[in-house]
Amino acid sequence: MKVGFALFLVLLVSVSEAKITKQNIGNFLRCLRSRTSPLNPITEALYNHDNSTFVSTYVSYTKNKRCSNPNDTNLIAIVAAKHESHVQETVVCAKSNEIQIRIRSVGHDYEGLSYISSVPFVILDMHNLRSITIDVSNKKAWVQAGATLGELYTKIAEASKTLAFAAGVCPTVGAGGHISGGGYGNLIRKYGISVDHVVDAQLVDANGKILNRASMGEDLFWAIRGGGGASFGVILSWKINLVEVPETLTVFKVNKTLEQGVNDVLYKWQLVSSKLPRELFLSAMPQITKGAKSDEKTIAVAFSAQYLGSAEKLMAIISKSLPELGLKREDCNEMSWINTTTFWADFPVGTPTSVLLKRPLEPPGAFFKSKSDYVKKPIPKEGMEKIWKMMLKFNNVWMQWNPYGGVMDKIPANATAFPHRKGNLFKIQYFSFWNDANVTDANLGSMKELYDVTEPYVSSNPREAFLNYRDIDIGSNLSGETNTEEAEIYGSKYFLGNLKRLMDVKAKYDPENFFRYEQSIPPLRAM
Ligand SMILES: Cc1cc2nc3c(=O)[nH]c(=O)nc-3n(C[C@H](O)[C@H](O)[C@H](O)COP(=O)(O)OP(=O)(O)OC[C@H]3O[C@@H](n4cnc5c(N)ncnc54)[C@H](O)[C@@H]3O)c2cc1C
Ligand SMILES: *[C@@H]1O[C@H](CO)[C@@H](O)[C@H](O)[C@H]1NC(C)=O
Ligand SMILES: *[C@@H]1O[C@H](CO)[C@@H](O)[C@H](O)[C@H]1NC(C)=O
Ligand SMILES: *[C@@H]1O[C@H](CO)[C@@H](O)[C@H](O)[C@H]1NC(C)=O
Ligand SMILES: *[C@@H]1O[C@H](CO)[C@@H](O)[C@H](O)[C@H]1NC(C)=O
Ligand SMILES: *[C@@H]1O[C@H](CO)[C@@H](O)[C@H](O)[C@H]1NC(C)=O
Ligand SMILES: *[C@@H]1O[C@H](CO)[C@@H](O)[C@H](O)[C@H]1NC(C)=O
Ligand SMILES: *[C@@H]1O[C@H](CO)[C@@H](O)[C@H](O)[C@H]1NC(C)=O
């Protein structure tokens, strides 16, 4: 779909990459060495293929084995910045030598766009910059880009029993990518998403300058809240508002199969889940499970909930709004907010919260592929049947149906660059994983088929997608290029009506399109 607004093309960006030579690379490395300060020498942060720890530095932060390639000959070096000046030096030297960078905080990008490129490139890795400071009395925190959500959650809980942050469920996700892409989690119905609580940020721009909210201006500050940081600069840190939670929350997880009548429960769930009290987040996860006979498969839906209150009150809400679930008191677990974060990360109740702090991360174990959709009217039961039939063709696929509503209906779509707000019943995440490279093509093919089956039931014109669930199939360009027409295809799905302003901000702050990648925002000024 083309974005429907009149544009005067001041800049037509479809640059064929000038060939990167050995000379560019040599000049880049010399530039780094000449600019580095003796106090914070960049050599301590610079890895090339000859360093004995190059491969481990690379793979520790490549979550998806499908994209991870330590032997990538396009990868010139990794700068694992230990100091902010290393970030500035890398930007200045890469730009002046026409070398692309990929910014990586913790490498959870679903398509590996923080660590791959089809032209020569340098990874600017932020994992060493991960300090977190909590200011309990003002309910604020500064968090550096390389911190993980698990580290942030732990620091908050150490400082207060009744403060939390609205962000994702996976403790190893990085603050740099996660927050700039929106930051979806189970406090969404009460508090919205991460970008709704960002009050300041530090960023290195295309000139290598460090800016904060006041010096970058409201346009750029708006863009990095949901537009993805990597089109605009390198996020060094975020200043966030912490949100209030009770000392005791309640969680549960209940399964039901098709044979146990889950279709009726899930249909009803579609009608009520976005209208429940904001304190309740009730998600549904359709997945494949063993059937009655050992050689049979069926669909089970796991319903997982988090309630900002007691089990007793939660029981009362469910028995009124979704009695079909058959929830029992013993299914419910009361616990602190920090303990709910291990529950959502799929650790058994009682697991020590130290699991949230695992570092360094392990080399990627699995290959995976994900896609997303937004649902605005209930999927009819016959549609659900079609989806299950398709899912049963896979060995290893699941979906997450994550409810919207609550405060998401109240926040204007243009308040931040993240546009998916009012009118969504829920968001779907599709996720398939496997352990053998031989079946990659087959799995990618099955994912496309599943996405085709759901098409009649989800948002259209455009078919919306969530930036944090990066999906290269919805449109992309080769690394060396940014084609505006192509960018309007993926951009309109990720950003809807906010795309125009994002392109305008991009043109203002990075007119030469230094910060570009396969799904970046092109610099294009509307007049
Ligand atoms: C297991 C798992 C669970 C997840 N759960 C959730 C969830 O609950 N909710 C949710 O919203 N998302 C979730 N995600 C998606 C996740 O939020 C995104 O993949 C996010 O971009 C990861 O951030 P990162 O810094 O780890 O990734 P990276 O791969 O390092 O970066 C992702 C993108 O952001 C850019 N970027 C990274 N750091 C910076 C920076 N400092 N400055 C500018 N640009 C930067 C990269 O260039 C890339 O384009 C999950 C992902 C995984 C793998
Ligand atoms: C990588 O190797 C080079 C050359 O031996 C060395 O100067 C540099 O300090 C090493 N980098 C790191 C991060 O150890
Ligand atoms: C990278 O190359 C090494 C040495 O040639 C090889 O052993 C290894 O399997 C390769 N790794 C990948 C992921 O291709
Ligand atoms: C729900 O079903 C899944 C898939 O069979 C299984 O892995 C999980 O343990 C079940 N959970 C509960 C709470 O029964
Ligand atoms: C949180 O979990 C820990 C570890 O299992 C447990 O010891 C503690 O009692 C729990 N606290 C709360 C309030 O849930
Ligand atoms: C956001 O949208 C509202 C309503 O459409 C409009 O009045 C407002 O000017 C917009 N704000 C920005 C910053 O575009
Ligand atoms: C993958 O395919 C290759 C080549 O066909 C074969 O040699 C290998 O055994 C297969 N691997 C697995 C795990 O099946
Ligand atoms: C890039 O843009 C062009 C023009 O729209 C398109 O034909 C192409 O498929 C895009 N994608 C890639 C990967 O080049």
Side-chain angles (χ1 to χ4, degrees), residues 115-372:
Y115 52 87
I116 59 174
S117 164
S118 58
V119 297
F121 73 113
V122 169
I123 294 178
L124 176 51
D125 182 307
M126 305 294 287
H127 83 265
N128 288 319
L129 297 176
R130 56 172 189 259
S131 76
I132 296 166
T133 46
I134 310 284
D135 175 357
V136 174
S137 54
N138 291 307
K139 296 182 195 153
K140 297 223 170 4
W142 272 105
V143 51
Q144 282 190 307
T148 64
L149 293 183
E151 290 162 351
L152 175 61
Y153 293 166
T154 301
K155 287 273 187 195
I156 295 171
E158 281 167 6
S160 164
K161 284 182 182 160
T162 54
L163 290 177
F165 183 57
V169 299
C170 173
T172 55
V173 160
H178 180 75
I179 296 178
S180 68
Y184 175 95
N186 45 42
L187 291 170
I188 183 172
R189 305 193 63 255
K190 173 81 174 174
Y191 290 119
I193 57 175
S194 301
V195 290
D196 299 326
H197 303 277
V198 173
V199 292
D200 204 340
Q202 274 195 306
L203 158 147
V204 172
D205 74 2
N207 300 316
K209 275 179 65 177
I210 295 181
L211 305 176
N212 63 13
R213 181 174 185 169
S215 55
M216 78 177 79
E218 287 304 301
D219 263 351
L220 184 52
F221 184 63
W222 174 86
I224 58 174
R225 285 176 292 157
S231 291
F232 300 98
V234 187
I235 310 288
L236 295 173
S237 57
W238 304 104
K239 186 179 188 183
I240 55 175
N241 265 332
L242 304 178
V243 300
E244 284 181 32
V245 289
E247 262 184 56
T248 304
L249 290 76
T250 306
V251 297
F252 69 74
K253 188 170 182 180
V254 170
N255 273 352
K256 273 201 186 331
T257 61
L258 289 181
E259 291 69 26
Q260 294 166 331
V262 80
N263 253 4
D264 292 337
V265 186
L266 189 60
Y267 187 77
K268 177 85 177 287
W269 175 93
Q270 294 192 68
L271 306 179
V272 301
S273 60
S274 60
K275 284 146 198 100
L276 294 167
R278 291 177 184 186
E279 290 71 26
L280 176 55
F281 173 86
L282 172 57
S283 73
M285 197 189 327
Q287 59 199 293
I288 298 167
T289 189
K290 281 196 200 76
K293 293 190 198 127
S294 63
D295 58 342
E296 278 177 2
K297 290 192 291 185
T298 186
I299 298 292
V301 180
F303 293 89
S304 299
Q306 172 165 307
Y307 179 61
L308 297 168
S310 69
E312 207 185 335
K313 281 192 179 148
L314 174 57
M315 288 294 296
I317 296 169
I318 296 290
S319 57
K320 181 163 155 264
S321 302
L322 196 59
E324 298 84 349
L325 191 58
L327 183 69
K328 300 193 210 61
R329 173 63 182 83
E330 59 265 32
D331 297 324
C332 300
N333 276 295
E334 293 187 332
M335 57 179 71
S336 60
W337 172 71
I338 192 68
N339 285 7
T340 68
T341 67
T342 60
F343 166 84
W344 285 103
D346 259 345
F347 293 104
V349 172
T351 304
T353 50
S354 55
V355 294
L356 298 171
L357 298 175
K358 228 165 151 244
R359 285 254 196 186
L361 306 184
E362 277 152 14
F367 302 76
F368 62 85
K369 171 69 190 175
S370 182
K371 298 174 90 64
S372 61

Side-chain angles (χ1 to χ4, degrees), residues 61 63 102-110 112-115 124 126 145-147 149 167-185 228-238 368 400 427 429 431 466-470 517:
Y61 297 99
K63 182 75 178 168
R102 289 295 177 273
I103 310 163
R104 179 170 79 174
S105 283
V106 185
H108 278 43
D109 194 286
Y110 283 169
L113 298 192
S114 56
Y115 52 87
L124 176 51
M126 305 294 287
L149 293 183
V169 299
C170 173
T172 55
V173 160
H178 180 75
I179 296 178
S180 68
Y184 175 95
S231 291
F232 300 98
V234 187
I235 310 288
L236 295 173
S237 57
W238 304 104
F368 62 85
Q400 257 176 11
K427 178 185 66 184
Q429 175 173 209
F431 200 93
F466 178 30
L467 182 64
N468 269 357
Y469 296 166
R470 175 93 61 200
Y517 61 99

